[in-house]
Amino acid sequence: MRTTTPTTFRDAATDVRNLGILAHVDAGKTTLTERVLYATGAIHKRGEVHEGTTVTDFDTQERDRGITIFAAAVSCAWDGHRINLIDTPGHVDFSDEVERSLRVLDGAVAVFDAVAGVEPQSESVWRQADRHGVPRIAFVNKMDRVGADLDAAVASLRERLHVVPLVVQLPIGREDGFTGVVDLVRMRALVWGAGQDTCRVSAVPDELREEARLRRRLLDEQVAELHPAALDEYCATSELSADTLAGALRELTRGGEGVVVLCGTAYRNRGVEPLLDAIVAYLPAPADMPPVRGTLGAAEQERRPDPAAPFAALAFKVNATATGRLTCLRVYSGTMSKGDTVLDAGTGRTERIGRILRVQADRHAEVERAVAGDIVAVVGLKTTRAGSTLCAPDAPLVLEPPTAAAPVVSVAVEARTAADTGRLATALARLVEEDPSLVLRTDPETGQTVLSGMGELHLEVAVEKIRRSHGLGIEVGRPRVAYRETVASGVSGLVYRHVKQDGGAGQFAHVVIDVEPLDGEGFEFRSTVVGGRVPQEFVRAVEAGCRDALVEGPLGGHPVTGLRVTLTDGATHSKDSSEMAFRAAGRFGLREALRAGVMELLEPVVEVVVTVPDDAVGGVLGDLAARRGRVSGSAARTGTTVITAAVPLAELFGYASRLRSRTQGRGTFTARLTGYAPVPAALTRETLSA
């Protein structure tokens, strides 16, 4: 196997592999990353997730919770190649971290549990990689577990992901007796002894020789069906040479027509070295990728991964550290050196490149320059945000930024003490800058500061980060729903006389108004006064006063909508009437009319589009009914059903977690506000008391 001696890199475009580790939570991504670093000599002691000692899970919350929360980049060397590796989260609440990582990666290793096979989040991240066209190889992990079955895991890849798995290894031993693999490409055995960190290469064991021969023939046939050159050789000789097979596997992987499958157990450090060989052999280098496309005005341009080309890089992550802002970049073309001036193409501002760092999770090594194909971090950029394009000032270009999913869960946050309000606002602004999937807003009606994110765990982690990093006391609660009030039954001929005498000029206004419901939302005012009994300027003042009264309704102080007010009569005083007096008459007169009529409470209603697996439709429909949802339609797709329903916003709190639990994490939903609807009479009193 390969050694871990120091390596000289000739060309980043060909000698680099930029890849991510993708999987469902607890499939072993972080452990595999740790073993890769150990096998390549990047670290000299293996860390463990359960001990909180891994390199990539360096955040205190990650170590406390035992899961990956933030995508972490590391770099190592193997067989003359630099491997820039990003360990991504596996929990669905942090899928936006995966999205940003996939945007800048050239390949990926998808990790699957040998017992569970394709799990729900494995399926989700696989679809994300499909959207970005990222070539992948599969690593079936935990082959030492009871019930581990490579064939069953491969079958789940074929059935759930609809891919062509190309299995290049045969396990030696089962479950706790798993000791190595047969390399079907080179037809040799790779065996790890007890306590050994490297494998021993030997001949295929006699008891596996026939099975290995059959599986190699099956692999040859699969590859020949997909690869024209391999088909020619197979037809001529009835088999493929090792070099032809390896070359065909490389092209099929990079073209997305097949997925190379390997196996092992990362925890016991078995199967890691063949995986590294496969990464170098099958996954693409930056030079193998199509030129990156960007825009300059209305024109589209391409940039090849050439160090001599004009500089272009995409910022995909921003971290606020104790020593300043750390901006992670993927360099697509050109060369970036310390001290260079670059252009932020989105804002038109220039930035100066300070220190350039090779990232190793929370540790960094300074380098003098970065070239096309590199993933590095830069210290000191002042205004660059995640998704910004940095380019040469004389060759501007805008690259497509990573897309951020719409948040689905919100909480209200406020400082426990008034003195901390300013510090909390600063901390929240920095948090949103680091994580674009978080959205911060102030509710114009309730005045609450509302933080929205991808899930309840996502928001819990965000709030805890502020508490720990800034030492702030924060109160968290769900936002108040912005209710409305409307007129169910109005009044006619309500007389209101506004008379006020405080010495000097007094105030006099006499109005007669009708109030009636209006179809839909909004407010309508009209006047039927004849004979000039109320001058036009006073009519406008009455309308302004009525609008003042709409701010707070009589039921619970909510805004009033859906009514028409008609001014039918009135009277003036030659000295004491004024616009101020008639405005007050309009305001107080409408308030009295609303109290005299029959009012109704309205609640916001959202249209929810839920996509669920076919086997979970019944439970999801029942849950929507329990939330007072009204289903308006459903449509069947391949393996899934899309349900459209109108649901009161107040009933959607906690729905994201509930949907995931009912669908094993495979269900998704989107929601948009469509309007307001009356609150059922049985719930009105309960709502107002709350």
Side-chain angles (χ1 to χ4, degrees), residues 181-205:
V181 296
V182 174
D183 177 1
L184 297 177
V185 177
R186 303 293 175 185
M187 290 304 287
R188 59 183 180 172
L190 309 175
V191 181
W192 287 264
Q196 293 181 346
D197 292 329
T198 58
C199 67
R200 174 175 52 85
V201 181
S202 63
V204 178

PDB file of all heavy atoms in Angstrom, residues 181-205:
ATOM      1  N   VAL A 181     -10.547  -7.369   2.621  1.00  0.00           N
ATOM      2  CA  VAL A 181     -11.337  -7.393   1.399  1.00  0.00           C
ATOM      3  C   VAL A 181     -10.520  -8.018   0.279  1.00  0.00           C
ATOM      4  O   VAL A 181      -9.280  -8.020   0.311  1.00  0.00           O
ATOM      5  CB  VAL A 181     -11.782  -5.972   0.981  1.00  0.00           C
ATOM      6  CG1 VAL A 181     -12.702  -5.353   2.015  1.00  0.00           C
ATOM      7  CG2 VAL A 181     -10.575  -5.085   0.713  1.00  0.00           C
ATOM      8  N   VAL A 182     -11.239  -8.538  -0.698  1.00  0.00           N
ATOM      9  CA  VAL A 182     -10.617  -8.958  -1.950  1.00  0.00           C
ATOM     10  C   VAL A 182     -10.791  -7.827  -2.951  1.00  0.00           C
ATOM     11  O   VAL A 182     -11.917  -7.390  -3.218  1.00  0.00           O
ATOM     12  CB  VAL A 182     -11.247 -10.258  -2.493  1.00  0.00           C
ATOM     13  CG1 VAL A 182     -10.678 -10.586  -3.871  1.00  0.00           C
ATOM     14  CG2 VAL A 182     -11.030 -11.406  -1.526  1.00  0.00           C
ATOM     15  N   ASP A 183      -9.682  -7.326  -3.473  1.00  0.00           N
ATOM     16  CA  ASP A 183      -9.696  -6.288  -4.501  1.00  0.00           C
ATOM     17  C   ASP A 183     -10.016  -6.964  -5.834  1.00  0.00           C
ATOM     18  O   ASP A 183      -9.171  -7.661  -6.413  1.00  0.00           O
ATOM     19  CB  ASP A 183      -8.332  -5.599  -4.538  1.00  0.00           C
ATOM     20  CG  ASP A 183      -8.226  -4.553  -5.639  1.00  0.00           C
ATOM     21  OD1 ASP A 183      -9.220  -4.351  -6.366  1.00  0.00           O
ATOM     22  OD2 ASP A 183      -7.148  -3.946  -5.773  1.00  0.00           O
ATOM     23  N   LEU A 184     -11.232  -6.783  -6.331  1.00  0.00           N
ATOM     24  CA  LEU A 184     -11.673  -7.466  -7.542  1.00  0.00           C
ATOM     25  C   LEU A 184     -11.033  -6.892  -8.803  1.00  0.00           C
ATOM     26  O   LEU A 184     -11.005  -7.563  -9.842  1.00  0.00           O
ATOM     27  CB  LEU A 184     -13.201  -7.395  -7.657  1.00  0.00           C
ATOM     28  CG  LEU A 184     -13.986  -8.088  -6.537  1.00  0.00           C
ATOM     29  CD1 LEU A 184     -15.486  -7.883  -6.737  1.00  0.00           C
ATOM     30  CD2 LEU A 184     -13.659  -9.575  -6.490  1.00  0.00           C
ATOM     31  N   VAL A 185     -10.521  -5.670  -8.757  1.00  0.00           N
ATOM     32  CA  VAL A 185      -9.877  -5.085  -9.929  1.00  0.00           C
ATOM     33  C   VAL A 185      -8.506  -5.718 -10.136  1.00  0.00           C
ATOM     34  O   VAL A 185      -8.150  -6.133 -11.247  1.00  0.00           O
ATOM     35  CB  VAL A 185      -9.765  -3.558  -9.780  1.00  0.00           C
ATOM     36  CG1 VAL A 185      -9.024  -2.957 -10.983  1.00  0.00           C
ATOM     37  CG2 VAL A 185     -11.149  -2.924  -9.650  1.00  0.00           C
ATOM     38  N   ARG A 186      -7.719  -5.818  -9.072  1.00  0.00           N
ATOM     39  CA  ARG A 186      -6.367  -6.392  -9.161  1.00  0.00           C
ATOM     40  C   ARG A 186      -6.327  -7.858  -8.741  1.00  0.00           C
ATOM     41  O   ARG A 186      -5.258  -8.480  -8.817  1.00  0.00           O
ATOM     42  CB  ARG A 186      -5.413  -5.588  -8.270  1.00  0.00           C
ATOM     43  CG  ARG A 186      -5.366  -4.099  -8.595  1.00  0.00           C
ATOM     44  CD  ARG A 186      -4.766  -3.828  -9.941  1.00  0.00           C
ATOM     45  NE  ARG A 186      -4.815  -2.404 -10.311  1.00  0.00           N
ATOM     46  CZ  ARG A 186      -4.446  -1.927 -11.473  1.00  0.00           C
ATOM     47  NH1 ARG A 186      -3.989  -2.740 -12.408  1.00  0.00           N
ATOM     48  NH2 ARG A 186      -4.522  -0.632 -11.740  1.00  0.00           N
ATOM     49  N   MET A 187      -7.466  -8.393  -8.288  1.00  0.00           N
ATOM     50  CA  MET A 187      -7.590  -9.792  -7.856  1.00  0.00           C
ATOM     51  C   MET A 187      -6.507 -10.140  -6.834  1.00  0.00           C
ATOM     52  O   MET A 187      -5.639 -10.999  -7.047  1.00  0.00           O
ATOM     53  CB  MET A 187      -7.541 -10.734  -9.056  1.00  0.00           C
ATOM     54  CG  MET A 187      -8.770 -10.642  -9.940  1.00  0.00           C
ATOM     55  SD  MET A 187     -10.344 -10.928  -9.063  1.00  0.00           S
ATOM     56  CE  MET A 187     -10.254 -12.701  -8.782  1.00  0.00           C
ATOM     57  N   ARG A 188      -6.572  -9.461  -5.711  1.00  0.00           N
ATOM     58  CA  ARG A 188      -5.647  -9.693  -4.610  1.00  0.00           C
ATOM     59  C   ARG A 188      -6.394  -9.492  -3.306  1.00  0.00           C
ATOM     60  O   ARG A 188      -7.469  -8.863  -3.273  1.00  0.00           O
ATOM     61  CB  ARG A 188      -4.475  -8.715  -4.702  1.00  0.00           C
ATOM     62  CG  ARG A 188      -4.903  -7.258  -4.669  1.00  0.00           C
ATOM     63  CD  ARG A 188      -3.763  -6.301  -4.838  1.00  0.00           C
ATOM     64  NE  ARG A 188      -4.241  -4.916  -4.789  1.00  0.00           N
ATOM     65  CZ  ARG A 188      -3.447  -3.853  -4.766  1.00  0.00           C
ATOM     66  NH1 ARG A 188      -2.127  -4.012  -4.819  1.00  0.00           N
ATOM     67  NH2 ARG A 188      -3.953  -2.632  -4.726  1.00  0.00           N
ATOM     68  N   ALA A 189      -5.845  -9.999  -2.221  1.00  0.00           N
ATOM     69  CA  ALA A 189      -6.453  -9.862  -0.906  1.00  0.00           C
ATOM     70  C   ALA A 189      -5.726  -8.783  -0.119  1.00  0.00           C
ATOM     71  O   ALA A 189      -4.490  -8.695  -0.147  1.00  0.00           O
ATOM     72  CB  ALA A 189      -6.406 -11.182  -0.154  1.00  0.00           C
ATOM     73  N   LEU A 190      -6.492  -7.950   0.592  1.00  0.00           N
ATOM     74  CA  LEU A 190      -5.955  -6.933   1.491  1.00  0.00           C
ATOM     75  C   LEU A 190      -6.453  -7.275   2.887  1.00  0.00           C
ATOM     76  O   LEU A 190      -7.661  -7.210   3.146  1.00  0.00           O
ATOM     77  CB  LEU A 190      -6.427  -5.535   1.071  1.00  0.00           C
ATOM     78  CG  LEU A 190      -6.213  -5.165  -0.410  1.00  0.00           C
ATOM     79  CD1 LEU A 190      -6.829  -3.809  -0.718  1.00  0.00           C
ATOM     80  CD2 LEU A 190      -4.730  -5.167  -0.749  1.00  0.00           C
ATOM     81  N   VAL A 191      -5.545  -7.644   3.770  1.00  0.00           N
ATOM     82  CA  VAL A 191      -5.918  -8.169   5.087  1.00  0.00           C
ATOM     83  C   VAL A 191      -5.283  -7.307   6.177  1.00  0.00           C
ATOM     84  O   VAL A 191      -4.098  -6.961   6.105  1.00  0.00           O
ATOM     85  CB  VAL A 191      -5.467  -9.634   5.251  1.00  0.00           C
ATOM     86  CG1 VAL A 191      -5.889 -10.178   6.604  1.00  0.00           C
ATOM     87  CG2 VAL A 191      -6.051 -10.494   4.124  1.00  0.00           C
ATOM     88  N   TRP A 192      -6.096  -6.978   7.178  1.00  0.00           N
ATOM     89  CA  TRP A 192      -5.621  -6.228   8.342  1.00  0.00           C
ATOM     90  C   TRP A 192      -5.564  -7.172   9.544  1.00  0.00           C
ATOM     91  O   TRP A 192      -6.576  -7.777   9.919  1.00  0.00           O
ATOM     92  CB  TRP A 192      -6.555  -5.062   8.672  1.00  0.00           C
ATOM     93  CG  TRP A 192      -6.450  -3.925   7.712  1.00  0.00           C
ATOM     94  CD1 TRP A 192      -5.716  -2.798   7.842  1.00  0.00           C
ATOM     95  CD2 TRP A 192      -7.107  -3.810   6.444  1.00  0.00           C
ATOM     96  NE1 TRP A 192      -5.853  -1.985   6.749  1.00  0.00           N
ATOM     97  CE2 TRP A 192      -6.717  -2.582   5.868  1.00  0.00           C
ATOM     98  CE3 TRP A 192      -7.986  -4.633   5.720  1.00  0.00           C
ATOM     99  CZ2 TRP A 192      -7.159  -2.157   4.626  1.00  0.00           C
ATOM    100  CZ3 TRP A 192      -8.432  -4.210   4.492  1.00  0.00           C
ATOM    101  CH2 TRP A 192      -8.017  -2.984   3.946  1.00  0.00           C
ATOM    102  N   GLY A 193      -4.419  -7.294  10.146  1.00  0.00           N
ATOM    103  CA  GLY A 193      -4.288  -8.116  11.340  1.00  0.00           C
ATOM    104  C   GLY A 193      -4.760  -7.368  12.566  1.00  0.00           C
ATOM    105  O   GLY A 193      -4.961  -6.139  12.548  1.00  0.00           O
ATOM    106  N   ALA A 194      -4.941  -8.094  13.662  1.00  0.00           N
ATOM    107  CA  ALA A 194      -5.399  -7.486  14.907  1.00  0.00           C
ATOM    108  C   ALA A 194      -4.396  -6.432  15.365  1.00  0.00           C
ATOM    109  O   ALA A 194      -3.197  -6.704  15.489  1.00  0.00           O
ATOM    110  CB  ALA A 194      -5.570  -8.557  15.974  1.00  0.00           C
ATOM    111  N   GLY A 195      -4.903  -5.207  15.596  1.00  0.00           N
ATOM    112  CA  GLY A 195      -4.051  -4.132  16.071  1.00  0.00           C
ATOM    113  C   GLY A 195      -3.170  -3.505  15.019  1.00  0.00           C
ATOM    114  O   GLY A 195      -2.346  -2.640  15.334  1.00  0.00           O
ATOM    115  N   GLN A 196      -3.313  -3.907  13.755  1.00  0.00           N
ATOM    116  CA  GLN A 196      -2.480  -3.356  12.692  1.00  0.00           C
ATOM    117  C   GLN A 196      -3.204  -2.206  11.996  1.00  0.00           C
ATOM    118  O   GLN A 196      -4.411  -2.271  11.758  1.00  0.00           O
ATOM    119  CB  GLN A 196      -2.136  -4.432  11.665  1.00  0.00           C
ATOM    120  CG  GLN A 196      -1.236  -5.538  12.190  1.00  0.00           C
ATOM    121  CD  GLN A 196      -0.906  -6.556  11.119  1.00  0.00           C
ATOM    122  OE1 GLN A 196      -1.532  -6.595  10.065  1.00  0.00           O
ATOM    123  NE2 GLN A 196       0.077  -7.405  11.401  1.00  0.00           N
ATOM    124  N   ASP A 197      -2.449  -1.152  11.683  1.00  0.00           N
ATOM    125  CA  ASP A 197      -3.030   0.005  11.027  1.00  0.00           C
ATOM    126  C   ASP A 197      -2.877  -0.041   9.513  1.00  0.00           C
ATOM    127  O   ASP A 197      -3.500   0.746   8.806  1.00  0.00           O
ATOM    128  CB  ASP A 197      -2.375   1.288  11.556  1.00  0.00           C
ATOM    129  CG  ASP A 197      -2.727   1.557  13.008  1.00  0.00           C
ATOM    130  OD1 ASP A 197      -3.836   1.179  13.419  1.00  0.00           O
ATOM    131  OD2 ASP A 197      -1.894   2.127  13.727  1.00  0.00           O
ATOM    132  N   THR A 198      -2.026  -0.911   9.002  1.00  0.00           N
ATOM    133  CA  THR A 198      -1.853  -1.046   7.553  1.00  0.00           C
ATOM    134  C   THR A 198      -2.175  -2.476   7.146  1.00  0.00           C
ATOM    135  O   THR A 198      -2.115  -3.401   7.962  1.00  0.00           O
ATOM    136  CB  THR A 198      -0.425  -0.699   7.127  1.00  0.00           C
ATOM    137  OG1 THR A 198       0.490  -1.553   7.810  1.00  0.00           O
ATOM    138  CG2 THR A 198      -0.104   0.754   7.459  1.00  0.00           C
ATOM    139  N   CYS A 199      -2.506  -2.659   5.892  1.00  0.00           N
ATOM    140  CA  CYS A 199      -2.924  -3.975   5.432  1.00  0.00           C
ATOM    141  C   CYS A 199      -1.750  -4.757   4.841  1.00  0.00           C
ATOM    142  O   CYS A 199      -0.718  -4.199   4.465  1.00  0.00           O
ATOM    143  CB  CYS A 199      -4.039  -3.845   4.395  1.00  0.00           C
ATOM    144  SG  CYS A 199      -3.519  -3.093   2.853  1.00  0.00           S
ATOM    145  N   ARG A 200      -1.976  -6.033   4.761  1.00  0.00           N
ATOM    146  CA  ARG A 200      -1.007  -6.944   4.149  1.00  0.00           C
ATOM    147  C   ARG A 200      -1.605  -7.432   2.832  1.00  0.00           C
ATOM    148  O   ARG A 200      -2.749  -7.886   2.791  1.00  0.00           O
ATOM    149  CB  ARG A 200      -0.738  -8.121   5.092  1.00  0.00           C
ATOM    150  CG  ARG A 200       0.149  -9.213   4.496  1.00  0.00           C
ATOM    151  CD  ARG A 200       0.451 -10.263   5.562  1.00  0.00           C
ATOM    152  NE  ARG A 200      -0.762 -10.755   6.199  1.00  0.00           N
ATOM    153  CZ  ARG A 200      -1.515 -11.753   5.714  1.00  0.00           C
ATOM    154  NH1 ARG A 200      -1.172 -12.338   4.581  1.00  0.00           N
ATOM    155  NH2 ARG A 200      -2.587 -12.155   6.377  1.00  0.00           N
ATOM    156  N   VAL A 201      -0.832  -7.315   1.756  1.00  0.00           N
ATOM    157  CA  VAL A 201      -1.288  -7.742   0.440  1.00  0.00           C
ATOM    158  C   VAL A 201      -0.905  -9.200   0.237  1.00  0.00           C
ATOM    159  O   VAL A 201       0.248  -9.595   0.454  1.00  0.00           O
ATOM    160  CB  VAL A 201      -0.663  -6.876  -0.668  1.00  0.00           C
ATOM    161  CG1 VAL A 201      -1.167  -7.320  -2.041  1.00  0.00           C
ATOM    162  CG2 VAL A 201      -0.975  -5.403  -0.436  1.00  0.00           C
ATOM    163  N   SER A 202      -1.891 -10.018  -0.159  1.00  0.00           N
ATOM    164  CA  SER A 202      -1.632 -11.443  -0.357  1.00  0.00           C
ATOM    165  C   SER A 202      -2.526 -11.966  -1.467  1.00  0.00           C
ATOM    166  O   SER A 202      -3.332 -11.237  -2.049  1.00  0.00           O
ATOM    167  CB  SER A 202      -1.890 -12.218   0.942  1.00  0.00           C
ATOM    168  OG  SER A 202      -3.252 -12.118   1.312  1.00  0.00           O
ATOM    169  N   ALA A 203      -2.367 -13.257  -1.758  1.00  0.00           N
ATOM    170  CA  ALA A 203      -3.220 -13.890  -2.767  1.00  0.00           C
ATOM    171  C   ALA A 203      -4.630 -14.059  -2.219  1.00  0.00           C
ATOM    172  O   ALA A 203      -4.855 -14.083  -1.001  1.00  0.00           O
ATOM    173  CB  ALA A 203      -2.642 -15.245  -3.155  1.00  0.00           C
ATOM    174  N   VAL A 204      -5.580 -14.200  -3.129  1.00  0.00           N
ATOM    175  CA  VAL A 204      -6.970 -14.407  -2.720  1.00  0.00           C
ATOM    176  C   VAL A 204      -7.073 -15.744  -1.993  1.00  0.00           C
ATOM    177  O   VAL A 204      -6.574 -16.775  -2.487  1.00  0.00           O
ATOM    178  CB  VAL A 204      -7.897 -14.393  -3.951  1.00  0.00           C
ATOM    179  CG1 VAL A 204      -9.339 -14.664  -3.538  1.00  0.00           C
ATOM    180  CG2 VAL A 204      -7.784 -13.065  -4.695  1.00  0.00           C
ATOM    181  N   PRO A 205      -7.698 -15.792  -0.802  1.00  0.00           N
ATOM    182  CA  PRO A 205      -7.837 -17.060  -0.072  1.00  0.00           C
ATOM    183  C   PRO A 205      -8.536 -18.116  -0.928  1.00  0.00           C
ATOM    184  O   PRO A 205      -9.430 -17.807  -1.728  1.00  0.00           O
ATOM    185  CB  PRO A 205      -8.684 -16.676   1.143  1.00  0.00           C
ATOM    186  CG  PRO A 205      -8.455 -15.208   1.322  1.00  0.00           C
ATOM    187  CD  PRO A 205      -8.261 -14.658  -0.055  1.00  0.00           C
TER     188      PRO A 205
END
